[in-house]
Amino acid sequence: MILIIDDDNAVRSSLLFMLKRAGYQAQAVPGPREALETVRAEEPDLILMDMNFTLSTTGEEGLVLLKQVKIFRPDVPVILMTAWGSIQLAVQGMRAGAFDFVTKPWNNATLLQRIETALQLSPAAAKAAGQADIPLERSHIIGKSKGLMDVLSTVARIAPTNASVLVTGESGTGKELIAEAIHRNSRRAAQPFVKVNLGGISQSLFESEMFGHKKGAFTDAITDRAGRFELADKGTIFLDEIGDLDLSCQVKLLRVLQDQTFEVLGDSRPRKVDVRVVSATNADLRGMVAAHTFREDLFYRINLITIHLPALRERREDIPLLARHFADRQAEANGLPRTEFSADALQFLTRLPYPGNIRELKNLVERTILVCGKPVLDASDFDAQCQHRRPAASESSKDLTLTGMTLDEIERRTILQTLELHKGNLSQVALSLGISRAALYRRLEKYGITAGDAS
């Protein structure tokens, strides 16, 4: 049963009609007192609750009611309803334990989609799913470590829903592959999967890239162009590096994620779109929210579900499997015989720190295969391709082992050695480490390193 709490009779009637027509059992009450009586007497499957009652224009009464409901029924998902201008109120509700929020006036299809997602991801549904073996198509996701298996178990459970997903993890951990797995195992698998690197889109081009433009909308608009959201209609849009998005662009993105509507530049008619959103970042979005560089309302909109990918150093048992996978793909792509690894080669690979994670391992394996051209690679072959990991002259008198060093110390040393090897060429350093230039810049800032430190 879905419980509706709203003091507007027209809203209650409209929601009851919509839900019953969609096949749900529903019950409506006008205020907090009746709501608490109902919640005490029976356990609804979901609660759809207005935040603004006539006795309180600030929404305080709605927040108090939400907290009381969560005391009596902590596992029942609550979807909040509020006006666009009161989204900050909904954000406070999300902090208090609400599952999701929608704005009034709502779109029936969008609201039903949110309700279906909340029911599919409720604790009761999760418990039932945990007892079943959920099949998962996981091509190109290699490994069997517990950390990876936990991630894939979550992917299998949430992929069939329409929940927005935030994939977090260091650069090079495979966030895009997880986003693709979510799409391939969803009901949208036959529809487009559109990838967008938000870190590569300037503020001035954001609206044109994401929402499209009409011919003549601006000086260089010589033809009509469809935006990424339109291209992703009925499918999934993958918003990579969302932490790099400018604050002014975050507002525009929130609008389309909230209402699933957008306006093409040069055309004021709103257009409807049906997309699932998967985002990814290697940034600390919670820290950015606290620093007011990332909108809190957008943060809650994109991370209904969060999946964190472990770093490669946290799943070392997967390194031999990954190395063999990359070797096989290299052989197939270049028409070469299959390359094997000696036992000491696999041990050598397993011990490396990998600041660039899986991307770095891939580059190292492929580079060593092409340079050496041997049927069986040993540790010395990989060591020869890792000269930048050896201490620079200025550090030659220091202990050369990694024993006793923190991961940050290992990473800082590796960056310094790679800078020296490539004489401060940051593009070559990023390529050698298997990370993006943006990720390299963040690490340089973190450790207080400048390109001049290569001398």
Side-chain angles (χ1 to χ4, degrees):
M1 181 267 288
I2 296 177
L3 177 62
I4 301 165
I5 310 171
D6 198 299
D7 60 0
D8 188 321
N9 183 58
V11 170
R12 293 197 305 274
S13 298
S14 178
L15 289 172
L16 280 170
F17 178 77
M18 178 197 73
L19 290 172
K20 290 180 178 178
R21 187 174 182 181
Y24 293 107
Q25 289 185 330
Q27 179 180 341
V29 295
R33 181 178 60 81
E34 297 88 347
L36 288 175
E37 289 175 356
T38 304
V39 167
R40 286 191 180 107
E42 53 187 301
E43 183 172 0
D45 299 303
L46 180 141
I47 297 173
L48 194 57
M49 189 178 89
D50 184 35
M51 290 295 286
N52 288 295
F53 295 97
T54 53
L55 297 178
S56 172
T57 57
T58 64
E60 185 62 32
E61 191 174 12
L63 285 173
V64 170
L65 175 58
L66 171 63
K67 294 173 183 177
Q68 291 173 328
V69 165
K70 297 305 287 184
I71 290 173
F72 288 108
R73 302 295 181 191
D75 291 337
V76 174
V78 178
I79 297 178
L80 306 176
M81 303 187 72
T82 188
W84 173 262
S86 303
I87 281 188
Q88 189 55 42
L89 184 62
V91 168
Q92 294 179 50
M94 296 290 284
R95 292 189 202 131
F99 177 83
D100 200 355
F101 66 92
V102 295
T103 55
K104 294 181 177 180
W106 67 86
N107 174 275
N108 282 352
T110 301
L111 179 55
L112 286 171
Q113 196 175 83
R114 301 269 174 84
I115 289 170
E116 180 186 17
T117 298
L119 291 171
Q120 289 173 326
L121 295 176
S122 66
K127 183 178 179 180
Q131 298 170 350
D133 184 18
I134 306 175
L136 178 71
E137 197 280 293
R138 52 172 283 187
S139 61
H140 302 309
I141 300 177
I142 308 299
K144 57 182 181 181
S145 62
K146 183 182 184 304
L148 180 62
M149 291 300 99
D150 289 344
V151 166
L152 294 179
S153 175
T154 301
V155 170
R157 185 168 67 86
I158 61 96
T161 75
N162 280 303
S164 59
V165 182
L166 176 64
V167 187
T168 64
E170 296 179 8
S171 180
T173 49
K175 296 185 287 294
E176 183 176 322
L177 288 178
I178 294 299
E180 290 178 346
I182 292 170
H183 176 70
R184 288 197 307 270
N185 290 277
S186 73
R187 290 172 290 181
R188 300 172 180 263
Q191 302 301 323
F193 177 71
V194 176
K195 295 178 279 189
V196 186
N197 184 341
L198 293 177
I201 299 178
S202 66
Q203 179 182 348
S204 60
L205 294 176
F206 178 79
E207 287 186 84
S208 174
E209 287 286 335
M210 301 304 290
F211 311 133
H213 62 250
K214 299 289 288 184
K215 179 181 178 180
F218 50 88
T219 303
D220 295 327
I222 57 176
T223 60
D224 291 353
R225 179 180 178 181
R228 307 296 182 89
F229 273 97
E230 185 175 348
L231 294 174
D233 192 28
K234 303 296 188 296
T236 303
I237 190 166
F238 175 50
L239 304 177
D240 198 10
E241 297 192 26
I242 195 167
D244 293 345
L245 194 59
D246 180 86
L247 273 170
S248 63
C249 298
Q250 291 177 27
V251 178
K252 299 166 185 174
L253 179 61
L254 178 63
R255 280 279 187 177
V256 67
L257 298 190
Q258 176 61 37
D259 300 329
Q260 298 269 296
T261 59
F262 65 93
E263 291 182 4
V264 174
L265 280 176
D267 185 353
S268 60
R269 295 172 300 171
R271 302 192 184 188
K272 188 70 182 170
V273 68
D274 173 19
V275 296
R276 185 192 192 159
V277 178
V278 180
S279 307
T281 185
N282 54 21
D284 176 13
L285 290 190
R286 288 190 182 276
M288 292 177 67
V289 168
H292 305 293
T293 56
F294 197 87
R295 292 182 62 97
E296 189 173 18
D297 43 13
L298 178 59
F299 174 73
Y300 282 115
R301 175 54 63 213
I302 63 174
N303 80 329
L304 206 57
I305 299 293
T306 298
I307 296 176
H308 180 73
L309 290 185
L312 187 55
R313 61 183 174 272
E314 297 167 351
R315 43 178 289 214
R316 292 186 180 277
E317 60 266 50
D318 291 337
I319 291 174
L321 295 174
L322 286 162
R324 290 192 174 99
H325 171 71
F326 295 138
D328 290 345
R329 288 183 60 186
Q330 179 82 337
E332 182 180 349
N334 295 282
L336 300 172
R338 189 174 192 265
T339 302
E340 301 292 345
F341 301 92
S342 68
D344 68 327
L346 292 176
Q347 290 176 357
F348 179 87
L349 290 174
T350 303
R351 289 195 301 265
L352 293 176
Y354 296 111
N357 290 292
I358 299 171
R359 189 182 295 123
E360 181 184 358
L361 171 63
K362 177 178 181 291
N363 287 354
L364 175 59
V365 169
E366 292 179 351
R367 183 169 65 247
T368 306
I369 290 173
L370 292 175
V371 170
C372 295
K374 295 168 58 178
V376 180
L377 297 174
D378 57 33
S380 63
D381 296 317
F382 287 105
D383 188 39
Q385 299 303 315
C386 293
Q387 293 300 312
H388 61 274
R389 295 188 182 281
R390 295 178 179 173
S394 59
E395 299 188 11
S396 59
S397 62
K398 298 182 181 179
D399 181 6
L400 304 189
T401 69
L402 302 181
T403 304
M405 294 180 66
T406 66
L407 289 173
D408 280 351
E409 289 169 342
I410 294 170
E411 185 173 66
R412 186 178 190 280
R413 173 182 284 189
T414 300
I415 292 171
L416 284 169
Q417 293 164 0
T418 313
L419 274 168
E420 174 139 352
L421 178 69
H422 295 291
K423 297 179 173 57
N425 186 317
L426 296 183
S427 295
Q428 289 298 318
V429 171
L431 181 63
S432 179
L433 292 176
I435 60 178
S436 67
R437 283 178 62 96
L440 175 61
Y441 289 141
R442 284 190 286 271
R443 284 169 168 80
L444 294 176
E445 183 178 0
K446 176 181 177 180
Y447 298 121
I449 299 172
T450 66
D453 292 334
S455 59

